[in-house]
Amino acid sequence: MLDKNGIAKRIAKEVKDGYYVNLGIGIPTLVANFVRDDISVEFQSENGVLGMGPFPFEGDEDPDIINAGKQTITTLPGASFFDSATSFAMIRGKHVHLTILGAMEVSENGDIANWKIPGKMVKGMGGAMDLVASAENIIVAMMHTNRDGESKLLKRCTLPLTGVGCVKKIVTNLAVLEVTEDGFKLLERAPGVSVDVIVKATEGKLIVEGEIPEMNI
Amino acid sequence: MIKKTVANVQQALHGVKDGMTFMLGGFGLCGIPENAIAELVRLGIKDITCISNNAGVDDFGLGLLLQKHQIKKMISSYVGENDEFERQMLSGELEVELTPQGTLAEKCRAAQAGFPAFYTPAGYGTEVAEGKETREFDGKMYVLEPAFKADFSFVKAWKGDEAGNLIFKGTARNFNPCMCGAATITVAEVEELLPAGSLDPNEIHIPGIFVQRIFQGEKYEKRIEQRTVRPII
């Protein structure tokens, strides 16, 4: 079974040379730490920066340079700043190649819910609805089950939706899955996790074809 | 040259009234019009509708207007980090309209550019699209979103000149350029106000035609919301 860093490490393998990538808050942010350093990748933050670098050293924080999580950041050579409409033109216009974000629930047809729990404080969707509605290539980083052991990969989402039919790939603590027309297709198992465990943890339709390889991370 | 300078924040906010709709630039506390907000608090006008990506924190940014119960309605994409906001929203004192961030930016830009509405894929199939017109283009579904209408835009830039030309810094740019010229009157406050001719026309982010009033802010606190640093190894 993978921890959060393990999930991020596996997702980092999906980041290819020449990609512009938008990382959501949480596990997705960790992905930047594991991207190979022999490929060229630029990270976009929807508040208006492309070419995001690591956090600054103490004393170098600039209140005018933050990421979408409102954290102080730095920029790398080749970086650019732009306004919010331009930022979402990059996203809506499919110029950003890959979006990695977290989810509370995903359904077997690729619906995603990650912004609202009825009865609890609603903080808002931020840029999540724009990202999931537009991106061609969306990878969801999430835990396979909730704290009570209930599946978060469902037939249908129970929470209010962020987007419909948009998720293509999911990396959880247990598996890598592809969303197909017929349901979740199991691609890889996390180290030491059996197919049986994944079947039991998946409420939505799970397609298991042939031998399922273990993740190579 | 058409001069846009006003002497101070009081003159810049001349004409603001109870019940008006304001656009306010900024992302979190980054690039917010600190001086205009302070003056709105001082004036004590009420029943304001605020179009702003976020709602500040308890004791800074739009949180200052919330403390004084001056805001009737917030139109935002994300409103966490603010306890007073949460209290007013849950008690029904404050009306909140949550809008996807890209849609929020484009509703400003559409108002600036003279488009009455636009189609976006964001929110299709979700509660955001309820009651809205939808349409299919090339096999994909889109939601019709109207442009915003506002009385004043309050934006913050790094440098500006007497003609109202603006240059922004870093990610403090965010929603500010989209809100220029998107309301009846755009008020720009800048850290540094320069004579016309001081800024290179090639470097201008927002031409002065989109700005009615410009003034130099008295002071900027520029509070950092999440100070994050890298360990020295």
Side-chain angles (χ1 to χ4, degrees):
Chain A
M1 198 187 298
L2 301 176
D3 61 6
K4 287 180 179 180
N5 275 307
I7 295 173
K9 214 168 165 183
R10 175 59 190 83
I11 291 176
K13 291 181 66 178
E14 304 286 322
V15 179
K16 303 283 188 311
D17 188 39
Y19 269 18
Y20 293 104
V21 182
N22 181 288
L23 300 178
I25 293 163
I27 302 174
T29 307
L30 301 172
V31 173
N33 301 333
F34 300 109
V35 173
R36 282 162 45 190
D37 50 16
D38 60 336
I39 61 172
S40 302
V41 172
E42 284 191 27
F43 291 107
Q44 195 246 24
S45 196
E46 61 267 25
N47 60 315
V49 54
L50 198 55
M52 218 188 334
F55 296 140
F57 290 115
E58 196 165 354
D60 292 342
E61 309 94 312
D62 182 341
D64 290 329
I65 303 180
I66 63 167
N67 64 16
K70 288 135 194 164
Q71 297 170 310
T72 44
I73 54 155
T74 59
T75 53
L76 297 173
S80 56
F81 297 115
F82 36 83
D83 66 73
S84 301
T86 305
S87 181
F88 282 93
M90 293 176 188
I91 292 162
R92 208 182 299 107
K94 303 187 195 304
H95 307 287
V96 173
H97 299 104
L98 175 62
T99 289
I100 302 167
L101 76 176
M104 298 171 187
E105 293 177 348
V106 173
S107 72
E108 61 188 32
N109 64 329
D111 294 354
I112 177 171
N114 71 352
W115 75 284
K116 184 177 181 181
I117 302 173
K120 289 201 178 166
M121 172 60 185
V122 181
K123 293 191 168 184
M125 68 292 282
M129 284 194 183
D130 307 270
L131 282 159
V132 301
S134 308
E136 300 263 81
N137 195 359
I138 298 174
I139 301 178
V140 168
M142 66 193 292
M143 292 295 162
H144 213 102
T145 54
N146 65 19
R147 285 195 186 109
D148 300 325
E150 294 161 345
S151 183
K152 293 163 76 169
L153 278 69
L154 308 171
K155 283 194 190 312
R156 284 183 158 233
C157 293
T158 61
L159 295 169
L161 295 179
T162 310
V164 292
C166 49
V167 176
K168 303 286 186 294
K169 205 171 224 181
I170 306 160
V171 178
T172 74
N173 52 329
L174 302 181
V176 180
L177 309 106
E178 187 189 339
V179 178
T180 69
E181 280 184 9
D182 305 315
F184 298 114
K185 187 177 178 191
L186 183 58
L187 300 181
E188 296 170 22
R189 297 172 293 114
V193 174
S194 69
V195 170
D196 242 21
V197 167
I198 298 163
V199 169
K200 285 199 183 86
T202 309
E203 189 229 73
K205 190 178 174 195
L206 184 72
I207 303 156
V208 184
E209 280 174 3
E211 199 69 15
I212 306 297
E214 197 170 276
M215 284 180 209
N216 177 20
I217 52 170
Chain B
M1 193 260 298
I2 301 171
K3 215 170 165 177
K4 304 291 172 71
T5 44
V6 293
N8 51 39
V9 69
Q10 287 78 25
Q11 285 184 19
L13 268 68
H14 178 75
V16 298
K17 289 191 188 78
D18 290 354
M20 280 188 163
T21 298
F22 300 145
M23 289 181 172
L24 297 109
F27 188 98
L29 300 177
C30 182
I32 57 171
E34 294 186 22
N35 291 272
I37 292 170
E39 180 62 9
L40 288 170
V41 172
R42 198 190 65 83
L43 289 168
I45 58 162
K46 297 222 178 316
D47 298 325
I48 310 169
T49 295
C50 288
I51 299 165
S52 168
N53 189 53
N54 313 93
V57 294
D58 277 322
D59 60 345
F60 201 55
L62 290 181
L64 299 170
L65 287 165
L66 284 164
Q67 270 181 14
K68 303 263 166 140
H69 303 269
Q70 291 175 266
I71 302 177
K72 180 184 73 176
K73 182 179 179 182
M74 279 297 311
I75 301 173
S76 304
S77 86
Y78 190 82
V79 293
E81 11 279 357
N82 193 323
D83 293 338
E84 179 58 17
F85 184 98
E86 182 171 349
R87 196 198 62 72
Q88 288 187 26
M89 183 169 117
L90 295 174
S91 70
E93 288 168 60
L94 180 69
E95 199 184 327
V96 179
E97 187 178 309
L98 291 168
T99 303
Q101 198 175 127
T103 301
L104 189 81
E106 201 62 20
K107 282 165 78 89
C108 297
R109 208 194 69 88
Q112 175 192 62
F115 294 111
F118 57 91
Y119 283 100
T120 177
Y124 177 76
T126 76
E127 60 184 57
V128 165
E130 278 169 20
K132 290 176 185 162
E133 192 181 320
T134 57
R135 187 167 161 183
E136 187 182 326
F137 294 94
D138 293 328
K140 189 174 165 92
M141 293 305 294
Y142 294 80
V143 184
L144 185 66
E145 291 282 359
F148 281 131
K149 288 194 177 81
D151 299 295
F152 278 83
S153 276
F154 298 112
V155 304
K156 191 260 165 178
W158 179 33
K159 293 178 186 173
D161 68 13
E162 292 167 291
N165 295 310
L166 302 176
I167 296 177
F168 303 88
K169 182 173 164 248
T171 55
R173 192 182 312 193
N174 57 63
F175 285 82
N176 286 297
C178 315
M179 291 176 171
C180 291
T184 309
I185 294 175
T186 297
V187 175
E189 59 178 83
V190 295
E191 290 177 52
E192 203 179 340
L193 183 59
L194 300 157
S198 312
L199 299 174
D200 179 349
N202 288 301
E203 308 279 319
I204 304 292
H205 292 142
I206 282 289
I209 192 169
F210 293 117
V211 174
Q212 279 68 47
R213 303 173 190 171
I214 186 167
F215 71 101
Q216 185 166 314
E218 213 163 90
K219 65 176 178 77
Y220 287 97
E221 182 181 331
K222 294 199 188 183
R223 195 184 293 187
I224 293 175
E225 235 171 298
Q226 306 284 341
R227 188 180 296 273
T228 43
V229 293
R230 190 176 358 163
I232 300 165
I233 307 160

